Amino acid sequence: MRRATAPPDEVREMARRYAGGESLERVGKHLGFSPSTVHNHLRSAGIVLRDAHGCGR
């Protein structure tokens, strides 16, 4: 795992991958972050997260 902070370009990549349907876990594995870190960055960026069934919250 990497540090908990991500530069803006990596947050944009997280958002792009998540919007493309990837899970928090898959996005995190690709970029070297935990799923919870990805979750926190996406929420901070104003991204609406899906629930466990793939629906928006």
Side-chain angles (χ1 to χ4, degrees):
M1 292 293 153
R2 294 174 39 187
R3 62 197 184 288
T5 58
D9 61 318
E10 286 189 322
V11 175
R12 285 190 295 273
E13 179 69 6
M14 288 176 187
R16 185 187 70 76
R17 288 177 168 279
Y18 186 75
E22 290 187 32
S23 67
L24 295 173
E25 183 175 5
R26 180 170 283 216
V27 172
K29 280 185 180 180
H30 180 79
L31 296 172
F33 292 96
S34 71
S36 62
T37 299
V38 174
H39 176 271
N40 292 337
H41 281 297
L42 293 177
R43 288 208 48 200
S44 293
I47 305 298
V48 176
L49 299 173
R50 301 182 297 266
D51 65 12
H53 303 288
C55 300
R57 289 186 181 177

